[in-house]
Amino acid sequence: MLPAPTADDRAAWSHIDAADLLARAEADLGTPWPQPLASQAARVHRDGDRSTWEDAAFARQHRLSRAVIAAAVTLEEHWIDEVVDGVQLLCEQSSWCWPAHDDVYEKSRGVLADVTDPFLDLGAGEVVGQLAWIDHVLGAQLDARAPGIRSRIRHEAEVRVFRPFIERRDWHWLGLDGDVHNWNPWIHSNVLTAAVQLHDDPEPLIDLVIEGLDRYLVSLPADGAIDEGYSYWWNGACRALEAIDVLEHVTGRMPASIEALRASVSFPHRCHLGGEWYANLADGQARPRVHQPWHALHRAARSLGDADAAAHAAAHRGLPASEIAGLGRLVRELTDPEWREVAVVGSPLPRDVWLPSTEMLLAREREGSPDGLALVVKGGHNAEHHNHNDIGSFIVASDGVPVIVDAGRPTYTKATFGPERYSIWTMQSAWHNTPTIAGVDQSPGREFAASEVEVSLSEDVSSLALEIGGAYEIDGLSWWRTAALDRASRIVRVSDVWRGSPTGATRLNLVVAGEVTPLDSGVRIVPLDGAMPVVIRWPAGIRCTETVRELDDPVLSDVWGERLTRLELDVSAREDAWITVERDIVAPATSDSEDER
């Protein structure tokens, strides 16, 4: 039995307040079910569009999840029928694999899934996990209303998931080549859930899941950092935590290597800038969607005794339950009495965070408050998972709101994870807060990395110094960058000193969000969300130009609004430069020489 009450447990389900979910489920009734089409799947290989098919497939699953909750709360027959319709549609869907992941094109140049050779990916895992939770919660009701539907679920799970999982052991996400990433726990957790609920002899599957999870767990660094970034914690380390919770509940067994996973529970709040804003290194969004499974973090933090992580999760207790993160997570959120009763508290907001495995420093003016300035700096290398070419890049926030920013990533397409990845502007170092040296930007690859990294944390000043010249394919280059938050002066200072760069145009790039006004040797920026304005200054004589990037992709514009601005400081004639950032409590006068910027 999965660790949640079935719909037969009326004490658990009848009192649940799911008015928002039920209202949206009511709006679904009588409307056509979302239908992912073959022509939409083929677009992945025609024009790179993966969202059109995925949006329809996700909408179908979300509608089904809403219906499941309505059925479990009310036990009304029309909701059971709605669930049966959704289950049957999933069982009839030719493939559960997201088309962008399927290997059929590489094998045969086919643009549609091969139903005789199912590909086990994130999508297939999510569907089989959803069906397992439906079978658990509404099994008795399905038997009474639609005899045979549960047998169909088991048949499809066997053909599309269990058999491929056992018979084919060359899945890249297993990490047998040493490259282990978030697909591993994401898929293994869903396979485990399905095996427990839908398979007559789950032990061989459970053994393989434990073996695979161990491979992920031993890859985690001791500091608990996730190189894929904050957004991917939820579908990486969090999935592993949820799998272990199910495993312990069902079997009493545990993977061998969980110490680093314990440390990872602190990663979300250690990336938190304030409010809805996070340090969004790699492919994450600086303002992620709010529908994260906070109860899963809270449950893990409770189990592991991490009070700060539990407090960060509890700060989000008032958000309405959502189907977006998956049915299993929704069921557990609604039926977890400890989560329902937890008091809403503030996020911990530590003063300093240093993660040596990813070489990321986050420093704020004082612990427990987003007020004032915060600084994020990263070293690392340019072959991290979901990598951007961003060695030495930094973020500065005012009142927890990023002002000098990391743009994040746009909508995923076929190009995002292929050889064209670094043709995407958000992945390039020129659109991060890094230098462009003699016209050369950073290169992808493990060898392009920071070196001689030195962190210093004190009451007055927190700083990170690093050599970033190794991130550029320029022989003989030495480029030292030091970024510091001076709490005594309430100022951020980023200093660069370089030697050995070839002749050519060299500039410091600063990507900023908000309203930009020119000053003499600087700019004033009014940030988003009403945060206090800041002034950025640099040495006299450095010419600044602007490039405005209009944002027409909602994944970016939902975070930053209509545009981002890149400030380009021409330092071609210099061997050193600096910028300072301080909050501007009284607005200064603007410069008349706007055309010189």
Side-chain angles (χ1 to χ4, degrees):
M1 293 283 289
L2 293 173
T6 69
D8 290 330
D9 184 346
R10 301 317 296 158
W13 280 99
S14 61
H15 74 282
I16 286 176
D17 180 8
D20 181 63
L21 278 165
L22 267 62
R24 284 184 280 123
E26 288 279 1
D28 295 332
L29 289 176
T31 65
W33 279 80
Q35 177 63 56
L37 301 174
S39 59
Q40 296 167 345
R43 286 191 63 179
V44 171
H45 306 289
R46 291 174 179 165
D47 61 17
D49 180 301
R50 56 181 285 178
S51 296
T52 303
W53 186 95
E54 289 178 5
D55 288 348
F58 298 165
R60 169 181 282 184
Q61 289 181 255
H62 295 160
R63 174 170 172 170
L64 177 54
S65 291
R66 293 191 289 270
V68 170
I69 301 305
V73 170
T74 68
L75 292 186
E76 293 173 0
E77 290 183 345
H78 70 280
W79 288 121
I80 308 297
D81 288 345
E82 178 86 347
V83 171
V84 171
D85 286 343
V87 168
Q88 184 78 353
L89 283 169
L90 284 182
C91 290
E92 301 260 338
Q93 190 171 302
S94 294
S95 175
W96 295 342
C97 171
W98 300 344
H101 296 162
D102 206 324
D103 63 355
V104 65
Y105 186 79
E106 286 70 24
K107 287 182 173 180
S108 67
R109 287 298 183 261
V111 297
L112 300 176
D114 180 354
V115 297
T116 68
D117 187 18
F119 193 92
L120 180 49
D121 78 321
L122 303 176
E126 281 293 282
V127 173
V128 81
Q130 181 178 27
L131 291 174
W133 278 103
I134 292 170
D135 189 85
H136 170 75
V137 173
L138 293 172
Q141 289 71 31
L142 294 178
D143 280 341
R145 191 72 177 163
I149 192 69
R150 297 177 75 193
S151 296
R152 178 69 187 276
I153 289 173
R154 282 157 176 76
H155 168 75
E156 298 299 339
E158 175 67 28
V159 170
R160 300 177 191 235
V161 174
F162 299 146
R163 193 178 300 163
F165 181 64
I166 290 174
E167 294 180 356
R168 181 174 169 181
R169 302 304 291 167
D170 65 341
W171 301 111
H172 70 85
W173 46 265
L174 293 175
L176 295 173
D177 61 355
D179 182 22
V180 192
H181 48 79
N182 73 302
W183 280 42
N184 176 300
W186 193 344
I187 296 174
H188 278 115
S189 65
N190 277 312
V191 171
L192 173 66
T193 297
V196 166
Q197 184 65 28
L198 303 176
H199 204 283
D200 292 336
D201 181 22
E203 286 304 316
L205 289 159
I206 291 173
D207 288 342
L208 286 176
V209 166
I210 292 174
E211 175 190 307
L213 283 174
D214 261 328
R215 201 173 295 116
Y216 174 76
L217 297 177
V218 299
S219 76
L220 294 177
D223 60 16
I226 305 297
D227 69 348
E228 294 162 304
Y230 162 81
S231 293
Y232 282 86
W233 183 88
W234 298 100
N235 283 321
C238 188
R239 295 283 185 172
L241 288 161
E242 291 169 294
I244 290 170
D245 185 56
V246 170
L247 188 65
E248 189 174 22
H249 173 82
V250 173
T251 71
R253 300 168 64 185
M254 293 279 282
S257 309
I258 65 169
E259 288 308 310
L261 188 62
R262 293 178 186 273
S264 83
V265 174
S266 67
F267 188 66
H269 73 260
R270 298 179 86 186
C271 293
H272 189 205
L273 293 172
E276 298 178 351
W277 296 95
Y278 288 79
N280 61 314
L281 307 176
D283 267 354
Q285 292 176 291
R287 179 157 49 185
R289 64 189 187 192
V290 297
H291 301 301
Q292 307 287 10
W294 295 106
H295 65 97
L297 172 59
H298 193 265
R299 186 170 58 250
R302 292 195 316 253
S303 174
L304 299 172
D306 190 322
D308 282 347
H312 183 58
H316 301 83
R317 170 64 186 85
L319 296 173
S322 171
E323 68 277 25
I324 299 299
L327 176 60
R329 287 170 158 178
L330 177 58
V331 167
R332 300 212 66 185
E333 177 178 1
L334 291 172
T335 60
D336 181 350
E338 291 189 66
W339 174 248
R340 290 199 308 269
E341 295 169 7
V342 70
V344 177
V345 296
S347 296
L349 297 172
R351 192 196 72 182
D352 290 305
V353 174
W354 169 238
L355 299 172
S357 67
T358 54
E359 297 176 351
M360 186 197 88
L361 169 68
L362 186 155
R364 55 174 49 88
E365 287 195 30
R366 64 181 183 275
E367 181 177 357
S369 173
D371 295 345
L373 294 175
L375 170 69
V376 180
V377 199
K378 80 171 295 287
H381 59 82
N382 278 338
E384 295 164 342
H385 295 116
H386 293 267
N387 179 70
H388 292 200
N389 289 338
D390 60 354
I391 305 308
S393 191
F394 62 95
I395 297 165
V396 177
S398 174
D399 299 334
V401 180
V403 183
I404 301 178
V405 309
D406 185 317
R409 57 94 171 173
T411 298
Y412 283 155
T413 68
K414 179 71 172 177
T416 308
F417 299 104
E420 299 176 30
R421 179 176 177 85
Y422 295 100
S423 67
I424 301 169
W425 66 272
T426 61
M427 316 298 181
Q428 300 166 359
S429 65
W431 279 95
H432 288 79
N433 303 307
T434 61
T436 295
I437 304 170
V440 177
D441 291 318
Q442 294 184 17
S443 297
R446 182 63 180 82
E447 67 274 26
F448 299 101
S451 61
E452 302 181 61
V453 178
E454 299 178 4
V455 66
S456 175
L457 307 177
S458 72
E459 188 73 25
D460 290 336
V461 179
S462 294
S463 67
L464 187 68
L466 61 171
E467 163 65 67
I468 65 172
Y472 298 79
E473 274 191 282
I474 300 176
D475 292 337
L477 173 66
S478 173
W479 192 293
W480 271 95
R481 166 161 284 184
T482 302
L485 170 65
D486 186 329
R487 296 184 180 91
S489 301
R490 306 194 71 184
I491 194 168
V492 167
R493 183 181 181 95
V494 180
S495 303
D496 292 293
V497 178
W498 59 95
R499 299 290 183 272
S501 60
T503 303
T506 295
R507 69 172 192 254
L508 305 181
N509 301 303
L510 298 175
V511 182
V512 300
E515 179 185 336
V516 181
T517 303
L519 307 172
D520 291 327
S521 301
V523 294
R524 181 177 186 263
I525 301 176
V526 178
L528 307 177
D529 283 4
M532 186 170 289
V534 302
V535 172
I536 306 174
R537 299 192 185 278
W538 48 78
I542 292 180
R543 185 174 183 272
C544 176
T545 57
E546 289 182 16
T547 298
V548 174
R549 173 72 69 164
E550 302 292 342
L551 303 178
D552 57 4
D553 184 324
V555 173
L556 293 166
S557 60
D558 286 353
V559 177
W560 304 117
E562 296 179 354
R563 66 185 59 84
L564 290 171
T565 303
R566 182 174 67 188
L567 307 177
E568 300 153 1
L569 308 185
D570 185 352
V571 295
S572 303
R574 303 176 63 97
E575 290 188 332
D576 61 71
W578 50 262
I579 68 155
T580 60
V581 186
E582 56 188 320
R583 301 213 301 166
D584 185 37
I585 298 174
V586 178
T590 59
S591 168
D592 294 329
S593 55
E594 184 170 350
D595 58 336
E596 289 300 314
R597 295 173 56 228

